[in-house]
Amino acid sequence: MSDSKLSVLLEYVRNVVLAGIFLFIACSESQDTHHSSVDSTDTSDTETVQFVDVAAEVGVTFKHTNAATGRYWYLESYGSGAAFFDYDNDGDLDIYLLNGAPLPGYDPQEKLTNVLYRNNGDGTFTDVTEIAGVGDTGYGMGCAIADYDNDGDQDLYVTNFRANVFYRNNGDGTFTDITQEAGVGDTLWSTSCTFVDYDNDGFLDLYVDSYVDYSFAKDKKCTHRGIRSYCDPDEYPGIPDVLYHNDGDGTFTNVTKSAGVYNPLGKGLGVVCGDY
């Protein structure tokens, strides 16, 4: 190799090495600057959010009861739903809580009902169940909130083991039971439910999940490894869900089969709607 070529090669190597050194120094200074700006006492990345039970303090004294007596009624292992909604349109979210109901062999010490708590707007709640007229006594499973009649007030549908209930919001802090009038009084074992305008006609329709064909007379005695326990869902036949079409005049029509959502196998526990 000639002296001139060797000189050029050495110059190239020198420049590469110097560039690497400068890059290393620059990165080191950048990292040092970054580390120096971080507070060594900052533990925000490792701290967890803490919750405090303030139910009793704010006036929410509700206690759910499943009415268990050691008989292992299949129904006891399910329930119950709840909802936050502004039932009186004052800008504050109120609370509706579902309860169980007396089962064979259970002696309640007090009347078991669902409970509606009004948000007072100051961090406290007031039980307004009786005033509002929504103290259903069924074995509660789930509920859904929607303005089914487009009057600006949130209405309430409650699913139960046996008879469901539909409450129309009167707009004055009270509700009216319109279950029979509306034609949505499913008497099987309903679980979840949702309102959805499936046909885009401007009125919210109602979809109700159904579980299994169960009654106390049909209750089975099941065991697990020789120990008495609750039965599996496979022990009972399913029942179909129901889709109610909102007719826009305060009534609904069962369109489960014509809409193509009829499934006799049932055993539904949840439902969600969306434009996927």
Side-chain angles (χ1 to χ4, degrees), residues 178-251:
I178 60 167
T179 311
Q180 299 307 316
E181 172 188 335
V184 291
D186 193 5
T187 58
L188 299 175
W189 183 351
S190 301
T191 53
S192 296
C193 55
T194 188
F195 284 92
V196 57
D197 184 7
Y198 82 94
D199 55 354
N200 291 324
D201 65 352
F203 293 98
L204 290 172
D205 311 294
L206 175 63
Y207 189 91
V208 181
D209 256 356
S210 300
Y211 194 43
V212 297
D213 183 11
Y214 173 82
S215 68
F216 300 117
K218 298 177 181 178
D219 187 77
K220 298 182 179 181
K221 303 299 184 290
C222 297
T223 59
H224 178 67
R225 296 181 179 178
I227 301 175
R228 182 78 167 90
S229 65
Y230 293 105
C231 295
D232 293 328
D234 293 341
E235 296 292 333
Y236 302 98
I239 50 179
D241 298 344
V242 182
L243 174 61
Y244 293 104
H245 175 264
N246 187 333
D247 298 327
D249 59 0
T251 66

Coordinates of all heavy atoms in Angstrom, one line a residue, residues 178-251:
I178 N -95.1 0.0 34.9 CA -95.9 -0.2 33.7 C -95.6 -1.5 33.0 O -95.8 -1.7 31.8 CB -95.6 1.0 32.7 CG1 -94.1 1.0 32.4 CG2 -96.0 2.3 33.3 CD1 -93.7 1.8 31.2
T179 N -95.1 -2.5 33.8 CA -94.7 -3.8 33.3 C -95.8 -4.4 32.4 O -95.5 -4.8 31.2 CB -94.4 -4.7 34.4 OG1 -93.5 -4.1 35.3 CG2 -93.7 -6.0 33.9
Q180 N -97.0 -4.6 32.9 CA -98.0 -5.2 32.2 C -98.5 -4.4 31.0 O -98.7 -4.9 29.9 CB -99.2 -5.5 33.1 CG -98.8 -6.5 34.2 CD -98.2 -7.8 33.8 OE1 -98.6 -8.4 32.8 NE2 -97.1 -8.1 34.5
E181 N -98.6 -3.1 31.2 CA -99.0 -2.2 30.2 C -98.1 -2.2 29.0 O -98.5 -2.2 27.8 CB -99.1 -0.8 30.7 CG -99.4 0.3 29.7 CD -99.3 1.7 30.4 OE1 -99.5 1.8 31.6 OE2 -99.0 2.7 29.6
A182 N -96.8 -2.3 29.3 CA -95.7 -2.2 28.2 C -95.5 -3.6 27.6 O -95.0 -3.7 26.5 CB -94.4 -1.7 28.8
G183 N -95.9 -4.6 28.3 CA -95.8 -6.0 27.7 C -94.4 -6.6 27.8 O -94.0 -7.3 26.9
V184 N -93.7 -6.2 28.9 CA -92.3 -6.8 29.0 C -92.2 -7.5 30.3 O -91.1 -7.6 30.9 CB -91.3 -5.6 29.0 CG1 -91.2 -5.0 27.6 CG2 -91.7 -4.5 30.0
G185 N -93.2 -8.1 30.8 CA -93.2 -8.8 32.1 C -92.8 -10.3 32.0 O -93.5 -11.2 32.3
D186 N -91.6 -10.5 31.5 CA -91.0 -11.8 31.4 C -91.0 -12.5 32.8 O -90.6 -11.9 33.8 CB -89.6 -11.8 30.9 CG -89.1 -13.1 30.5 OD1 -89.9 -14.1 30.5 OD2 -87.9 -13.3 30.1
T187 N -91.5 -13.7 32.9 CA -91.7 -14.4 34.2 C -90.8 -15.6 34.3 O -91.0 -16.5 35.2 CB -93.1 -14.9 34.4 OG1 -93.5 -15.7 33.3 CG2 -94.1 -13.7 34.4
L188 N -89.7 -15.7 33.5 CA -88.8 -16.8 33.6 C -87.7 -16.4 34.5 O -87.9 -15.6 35.4 CB -88.3 -17.2 32.2 CG -89.3 -17.7 31.2 CD1 -88.7 -17.9 29.9 CD2 -90.0 -19.0 31.8
W189 N -86.4 -16.9 34.3 CA -85.3 -16.4 35.1 C -84.5 -15.5 34.2 O -83.7 -16.0 33.4 CB -84.5 -17.6 35.6 CG -83.3 -17.3 36.5 CD1 -82.8 -16.0 36.7 CD2 -82.5 -18.2 37.2 NE1 -81.8 -16.1 37.6 CE2 -81.5 -17.4 37.9 CE3 -82.5 -19.5 37.4 CZ2 -80.6 -17.9 38.8 CZ3 -81.5 -20.1 38.2 CH2 -80.6 -19.3 38.9
S190 N -84.6 -14.2 34.4 CA -83.9 -13.3 33.6 C -82.6 -12.8 34.4 O -82.7 -12.8 35.6 CB -84.7 -12.0 33.3 OG -85.9 -12.4 32.5
T191 N -81.6 -12.5 33.6 CA -80.4 -12.0 34.3 C -80.0 -10.6 33.9 O -80.4 -9.7 34.4 CB -79.2 -13.0 34.0 OG1 -79.1 -13.2 32.6 CG2 -79.5 -14.4 34.6
S192 N -79.2 -10.5 32.8 CA -78.8 -9.2 32.3 C -79.8 -8.7 31.4 O -80.6 -9.4 30.8 CB -77.4 -9.3 31.7 OG -76.4 -9.7 32.6
C193 N -79.7 -7.4 31.1 CA -80.5 -6.7 30.1 C -79.9 -5.4 29.6 O -79.0 -4.9 30.2 CB -81.9 -6.4 30.7 SG -81.8 -5.4 32.2
T194 N -80.4 -5.0 28.4 CA -79.8 -3.7 27.9 C -80.9 -3.1 26.9 O -81.7 -3.8 26.4 CB -78.5 -4.0 27.1 OG1 -77.9 -2.7 26.8 CG2 -78.7 -4.8 25.9
F195 N -80.8 -1.8 26.8 CA -81.6 -1.1 25.9 C -80.8 -0.8 24.6 O -79.6 -0.4 24.8 CB -82.2 0.2 26.5 CG -83.3 0.0 27.4 CD1 -83.1 -0.2 28.8 CD2 -84.6 -0.1 27.0 CE1 -84.1 -0.3 29.7 CE2 -85.7 -0.3 27.8 CZ -85.4 -0.4 29.2
V196 N -81.3 -1.0 23.5 CA -80.6 -0.7 22.2 C -81.6 -0.4 21.1 O -82.6 -1.1 21.0 CB -79.6 -1.8 21.9 CG1 -80.4 -3.2 21.7 CG2 -78.9 -1.5 20.6
D197 N -81.3 0.5 20.3 CA -82.2 0.8 19.1 C -81.7 0.0 18.0 O -81.0 0.4 17.1 CB -82.2 2.3 18.8 CG -83.2 2.7 17.7 OD1 -83.9 1.8 17.3 OD2 -83.1 3.8 17.2
Y198 N -82.1 -1.3 18.0 CA -81.6 -2.2 17.0 C -82.1 -2.0 15.5 O -81.4 -2.3 14.6 CB -81.9 -3.7 17.4 CG -83.3 -4.2 17.0 CD1 -83.5 -4.8 15.8 CD2 -84.4 -3.9 17.8 CE1 -84.8 -5.3 15.4 CE2 -85.6 -4.4 17.5 CZ -85.8 -5.0 16.3 OH -87.1 -5.5 15.9
D199 N -83.2 -1.3 15.4 CA -83.7 -1.0 14.1 C -83.7 0.4 13.7 O -84.2 0.8 12.6 CB -85.2 -1.5 14.0 CG -86.1 -0.9 15.0 OD1 -85.6 -0.2 15.9 OD2 -87.3 -1.1 15.0
N200 N -83.0 1.2 14.5 CA -82.7 2.7 14.1 C -84.0 3.4 13.8 O -84.0 4.3 12.9 CB -81.8 2.8 12.9 CG -80.4 2.3 13.3 OD1 -79.9 2.6 14.4 ND2 -79.7 1.7 12.3
D201 N -85.0 3.2 14.6 CA -86.3 3.9 14.4 C -86.4 5.1 15.4 O -87.5 5.7 15.5 CB -87.5 3.0 14.5 CG -87.7 2.4 15.9 OD1 -86.8 2.6 16.8 OD2 -88.7 1.7 16.1
G202 N -85.4 5.3 16.3 CA -85.5 6.4 17.2 C -86.0 6.0 18.6 O -86.0 6.9 19.5
F203 N -86.4 4.8 18.8 CA -86.9 4.3 20.0 C -86.0 3.1 20.5 O -85.7 2.2 19.8 CB -88.4 3.8 19.9 CG -89.3 5.0 19.6 CD1 -89.7 5.2 18.3 CD2 -89.8 5.8 20.7 CE1 -90.6 6.2 18.1 CE2 -90.7 6.8 20.4 CZ -91.1 7.0 19.1
L204 N -85.7 3.2 21.8 CA -84.8 2.1 22.4 C -85.6 0.8 22.6 O -86.7 0.8 23.3 CB -84.2 2.6 23.7 CG -83.2 3.7 23.6 CD1 -82.8 4.3 24.9 CD2 -81.9 3.2 22.8
D205 N -85.1 -0.2 22.1 CA -85.7 -1.6 22.3 C -85.0 -2.2 23.5 O -84.0 -1.7 24.0 CB -85.5 -2.4 21.0 CG -85.9 -1.6 19.8 OD1 -87.1 -1.3 19.6 OD2 -85.0 -1.2 18.9
L206 N -85.5 -3.4 23.9 CA -85.1 -4.0 25.1 C -84.7 -5.5 24.8 O -85.5 -6.2 24.3 CB -86.2 -4.0 26.2 CG -85.9 -4.7 27.5 CD1 -84.7 -4.1 28.2 CD2 -87.2 -4.6 28.3
Y207 N -83.4 -5.8 25.2 CA -83.0 -7.2 25.1 C -82.8 -7.7 26.5 O -82.1 -7.1 27.4 CB -81.6 -7.3 24.3 CG -81.2 -8.7 24.0 CD1 -81.6 -9.3 22.8 CD2 -80.5 -9.4 24.9 CE1 -81.2 -10.6 22.5 CE2 -80.1 -10.7 24.6 CZ -80.5 -11.3 23.4 OH -80.1 -12.6 23.1
V208 N -83.3 -8.9 26.8 CA -83.3 -9.5 28.1 C -82.7 -10.9 28.1 O -83.1 -11.8 27.3 CB -84.7 -9.6 28.7 CG1 -84.6 -10.2 30.1 CG2 -85.4 -8.3 28.8
D209 N -81.6 -11.1 28.8 CA -80.9 -12.4 28.9 C -81.7 -13.3 29.8 O -82.3 -12.9 30.8 CB -79.5 -12.2 29.6 CG -78.4 -12.3 28.6 OD1 -78.7 -12.5 27.4 OD2 -77.3 -12.1 28.9
S210 N -81.8 -14.6 29.4 CA -82.5 -15.6 30.2 C -81.5 -16.7 30.6 O -80.5 -16.9 29.8 CB -83.7 -16.2 29.5 OG -84.6 -15.2 29.1
Y211 N -81.7 -17.3 31.7 CA -80.7 -18.3 32.2 C -81.2 -19.7 32.0 O -81.1 -20.3 30.9 CB -80.4 -18.0 33.6 CG -79.1 -18.7 34.1 CD1 -78.0 -18.7 33.3 CD2 -79.1 -19.3 35.3 CE1 -76.8 -19.4 33.7 CE2 -77.9 -19.9 35.8 CZ -76.8 -20.0 35.0 OH -75.7 -20.6 35.4
V212 N -81.7 -20.4 33.0 CA -82.1 -21.8 33.0 C -83.5 -22.0 33.5 O -84.1 -21.1 34.2 CB -81.1 -22.7 33.8 CG1 -79.7 -22.6 33.2 CG2 -81.1 -22.3 35.3
D213 N -84.0 -23.1 33.1 CA -85.4 -23.5 33.5 C -85.3 -24.1 34.9 O -85.0 -25.3 35.1 CB -86.0 -24.5 32.5 CG -87.4 -24.9 32.9 OD1 -88.0 -24.2 33.7 OD2 -87.9 -25.9 32.3
Y214 N -85.5 -23.2 35.9 CA -85.3 -23.6 37.3 C -86.5 -23.2 38.1 O -87.1 -22.2 37.9 CB -84.0 -23.0 37.9 CG -83.9 -23.2 39.4 CD1 -83.3 -24.4 39.8 CD2 -84.3 -22.3 40.3 CE1 -83.1 -24.6 41.2 CE2 -84.1 -22.5 41.6 CZ -83.5 -23.7 42.1 OH -83.4 -23.9 43.4
S215 N -86.8 -24.1 39.1 CA -87.8 -23.8 40.1 C -87.4 -24.5 41.3 O -86.6 -25.4 41.3 CB -89.2 -24.2 39.6 OG -89.3 -25.6 39.5
F216 N -88.0 -24.2 42.4 CA -87.7 -24.9 43.7 C -88.2 -26.4 43.6 O -87.5 -27.2 44.2 CB -88.4 -24.2 44.9 CG -87.9 -22.8 45.0 CD1 -88.8 -21.7 44.9 CD2 -86.6 -22.5 45.3 CE1 -88.4 -20.4 45.0 CE2 -86.1 -21.2 45.4 CZ -87.0 -20.1 45.3
A217 N -89.2 -26.6 42.9 CA -89.7 -28.0 42.7 C -88.7 -28.8 41.9 O -88.6 -30.0 42.0 CB -91.1 -28.0 42.1
K218 N -88.0 -28.1 41.0 CA -87.0 -28.8 40.1 C -85.6 -28.8 40.7 O -84.7 -29.3 40.0 CB -87.0 -28.1 38.7 CG -88.3 -28.2 38.0 CD -88.2 -27.5 36.7 CE -89.6 -27.5 35.9 NZ -89.5 -26.7 34.6
D219 N -85.4 -28.2 41.9 CA -84.1 -28.1 42.4 C -83.5 -29.5 42.6 O -84.1 -30.4 43.1 CB -84.2 -27.4 43.8 CG -82.8 -27.1 44.3 OD1 -82.2 -26.1 43.9 OD2 -82.3 -27.8 45.3
K220 N -82.2 -29.6 42.3 CA -81.5 -30.9 42.4 C -80.5 -30.8 43.5 O -79.9 -29.8 43.8 CB -80.8 -31.2 41.1 CG -81.7 -31.4 39.9 CD -81.0 -31.8 38.6 CE -81.9 -31.9 37.4 NZ -81.2 -32.3 36.2
K221 N -80.2 -32.0 44.1 CA -79.3 -32.1 45.2 C -77.9 -32.5 44.6 O -77.8 -33.7 44.2 CB -79.7 -33.1 46.2 CG -81.1 -32.8 46.8 CD -81.1 -31.4 47.5 CE -82.4 -31.1 48.2 NZ -83.5 -30.9 47.3
C222 N -77.0 -31.6 44.5 CA -75.7 -31.9 43.9 C -74.6 -31.9 44.9 O -74.7 -31.3 46.0 CB -75.4 -30.8 42.9 SG -76.5 -30.7 41.5
T223 N -73.5 -32.7 44.6 CA -72.4 -32.8 45.5 C -71.1 -32.6 44.7 O -71.1 -32.8 43.5 CB -72.4 -34.1 46.2 OG1 -72.3 -35.2 45.3 CG2 -73.6 -34.3 47.1
H224 N -70.1 -32.2 45.4 CA -68.7 -32.1 44.8 C -67.8 -32.8 45.7 O -67.6 -32.4 46.9 CB -68.3 -30.6 44.6 CG -67.0 -30.4 44.1 ND1 -66.6 -30.8 42.8 CD2 -65.8 -30.0 44.6 CE1 -65.4 -30.5 42.5 NE2 -64.8 -30.0 43.6
R225 N -67.2 -33.9 45.2 CA -66.3 -34.8 46.0 C -67.0 -35.2 47.3 O -66.4 -35.2 48.4 CB -65.0 -34.0 46.3 CG -64.2 -33.7 45.0 CD -62.9 -33.0 45.4 NE -62.1 -32.7 44.2 CZ -60.9 -32.1 44.2 NH1 -60.4 -31.7 45.3 NH2 -60.3 -31.9 43.0
G226 N -68.2 -35.5 47.1 CA -69.0 -36.1 48.3 C -69.5 -35.0 49.2 O -70.2 -35.4 50.2
I227 N -69.3 -33.8 48.9 CA -69.8 -32.7 49.8 C -70.9 -31.9 49.1 O -70.8 -31.6 47.9 CB -68.6 -31.7 50.1 CG1 -67.5 -32.4 50.8 CG2 -69.1 -30.6 51.0 CD1 -66.3 -31.6 51.0
R228 N -72.0 -31.7 49.9 CA -73.1 -30.9 49.3 C -72.7 -29.6 48.8 O -72.0 -28.9 49.4 CB -74.2 -30.7 50.4 CG -75.4 -30.0 50.0 CD -76.4 -31.0 49.2 NE -77.7 -30.4 49.0 CZ -78.1 -29.6 48.0 NH1 -77.2 -29.4 47.1 NH2 -79.3 -29.2 47.9
S229 N -73.1 -29.3 47.6 CA -72.7 -28.0 47.0 C -73.8 -27.5 46.0 O -74.8 -28.2 45.7 CB -71.4 -28.1 46.3 OG -71.5 -29.0 45.2
Y230 N -73.6 -26.4 45.4 CA -74.5 -25.8 44.4 C -74.3 -26.6 43.1 O -73.1 -27.0 42.8 CB -74.2 -24.3 44.2 CG -74.6 -23.5 45.4 CD1 -73.7 -22.9 46.2 CD2 -76.0 -23.3 45.7 CE1 -74.0 -22.2 47.3 CE2 -76.3 -22.5 46.8 CZ -75.3 -21.9 47.6 OH -75.7 -21.2 48.6
C231 N -75.3 -26.8 42.3 CA -75.2 -27.5 41.1 C -74.6 -26.7 40.0 O -74.5 -25.4 40.1 CB -76.6 -27.9 40.6 SG -77.5 -29.0 41.7
D232 N -74.1 -27.3 39.0 CA -73.6 -26.7 37.8 C -74.7 -26.3 36.9 O -75.8 -27.0 36.9 CB -72.6 -27.6 37.1 CG -71.3 -27.9 37.9 OD1 -70.9 -27.0 38.6 OD2 -70.8 -29.0 37.7
P233 N -74.5 -25.4 36.0 CA -75.6 -25.0 35.0 C -76.0 -26.2 34.1 O -77.1 -26.2 33.7 CB -74.9 -23.9 34.2 CG -73.9 -23.3 35.1 CD -73.3 -24.5 35.9
D234 N -75.1 -27.1 33.9 CA -75.4 -28.2 33.0 C -76.6 -29.1 33.6 O -77.1 -29.9 32.9 CB -74.2 -29.1 32.8 CG -73.1 -28.4 32.0 OD1 -73.4 -27.5 31.3 OD2 -71.9 -28.9 32.1
E235 N -76.9 -28.9 34.9 CA -77.9 -29.7 35.5 C -79.3 -29.3 35.1 O -80.3 -30.0 35.3 CB -77.8 -29.7 37.0 CG -76.5 -30.3 37.6 CD -76.5 -31.8 37.4 OE1 -77.5 -32.4 37.3 OE2 -75.3 -32.3 37.3
Y236 N -79.4 -28.1 34.5 CA -80.7 -27.5 34.1 C -80.7 -27.1 32.6 O -79.7 -26.6 32.1 CB -81.0 -26.3 35.0 CG -81.0 -26.6 36.5 CD1 -79.9 -26.4 37.3 CD2 -82.2 -27.2 37.1 CE1 -79.9 -26.7 38.6 CE2 -82.2 -27.5 38.4 CZ -81.0 -27.2 39.2 OH -81.0 -27.6 40.5
P237 N -81.8 -27.3 32.0 CA -81.9 -26.8 30.6 C -82.0 -25.3 30.5 O -82.5 -24.6 31.4 CB -83.2 -27.5 30.1 CG -84.1 -27.6 31.3 CD -83.1 -27.9 32.4
G238 N -81.5 -24.8 29.4 CA -81.5 -23.4 29.2 C -82.8 -22.9 28.7 O -83.7 -23.6 28.3
I239 N -83.0 -21.6 28.7 CA -84.2 -20.9 28.2 C -83.8 -19.7 27.3 O -82.7 -19.1 27.6 CB -85.2 -20.4 29.3 CG1 -84.4 -19.6 30.4 CG2 -85.8 -21.6 30.0 CD1 -85.2 -19.1 31.5
P240 N -84.6 -19.4 26.3 CA -84.2 -18.4 25.3 C -84.2 -17.0 25.9 O -85.1 -16.6 26.7 CB -85.2 -18.6 24.2 CG -86.4 -19.1 24.9 CD -85.9 -20.0 26.0
D241 N -83.3 -16.1 25.4 CA -83.4 -14.7 25.6 C -84.6 -14.1 24.9 O -85.2 -14.8 24.1 CB -82.1 -14.0 25.1 CG -80.8 -14.5 25.8 OD1 -81.0 -15.2 26.9 OD2 -79.7 -14.3 25.3
V242 N -84.8 -12.8 25.2 CA -86.0 -12.2 24.6 C -85.6 -10.8 24.1 O -84.9 -10.0 24.8 CB -87.1 -12.0 25.6 CG1 -88.4 -11.4 24.9 CG2 -87.5 -13.4 26.2
L243 N -86.0 -10.5 22.9 CA -85.8 -9.2 22.3 C -87.2 -8.5 22.1 O -88.1 -9.0 21.4 CB -85.1 -9.2 20.9 CG -85.0 -7.9 20.2 CD1 -84.2 -6.9 21.0 CD2 -84.4 -8.1 18.8
Y244 N -87.4 -7.4 22.8 CA -88.6 -6.7 22.8 C -88.5 -5.4 21.9 O -87.6 -4.6 22.1 CB -89.1 -6.2 24.1 CG -89.5 -7.3 25.1 CD1 -88.6 -7.7 26.1 CD2 -90.7 -7.9 25.0 CE1 -89.0 -8.7 27.0 CE2 -91.1 -8.9 25.9 CZ -90.2 -9.3 26.9 OH -90.6 -10.3 27.8
H245 N -89.3 -5.3 20.9 CA -89.3 -4.1 20.0 C -90.1 -3.0 20.6 O -91.3 -3.2 21.0 CB -89.8 -4.5 18.6 CG -90.0 -3.3 17.7 ND1 -91.1 -2.6 17.5 CD2 -89.0 -2.7 16.9 CE1 -90.9 -1.6 16.7 NE2 -89.7 -1.6 16.3
N246 N -89.6 -1.8 20.7 CA -90.3 -0.7 21.2 C -91.2 -0.1 20.1 O -90.7 0.3 19.1 CB -89.3 0.4 21.6 CG -89.9 1.6 22.4 OD1 -91.1 1.9 22.1 ND2 -89.2 2.3 23.2
D247 N -92.5 -0.2 20.3 CA -93.4 0.2 19.3 C -93.7 1.7 19.2 O -94.4 2.1 18.3 CB -94.8 -0.5 19.5 CG -94.6 -2.1 19.4 OD1 -93.8 -2.5 18.7 OD2 -95.4 -2.8 20.2
G248 N -93.1 2.4 20.1 CA -93.1 3.9 20.1 C -94.4 4.4 20.7 O -94.6 5.7 20.7
D249 N -95.3 3.6 21.2 CA -96.5 4.1 21.8 C -96.6 3.6 23.3 O -97.7 3.6 23.8 CB -97.7 3.5 21.0 CG -97.8 2.0 21.0 OD1 -96.8 1.4 21.6 OD2 -98.7 1.4 20.4
G250 N -95.5 3.3 23.9 CA -95.5 2.9 25.3 C -95.6 1.4 25.4 O -95.5 0.9 26.6
T251 N -95.7 0.6 24.3 CA -95.7 -0.8 24.4 C -94.6 -1.5 23.6 O -93.9 -0.8 22.8 CB -97.0 -1.3 23.8 OG1 -97.1 -1.1 22.4 CG2 -98.2 -0.7 24.5

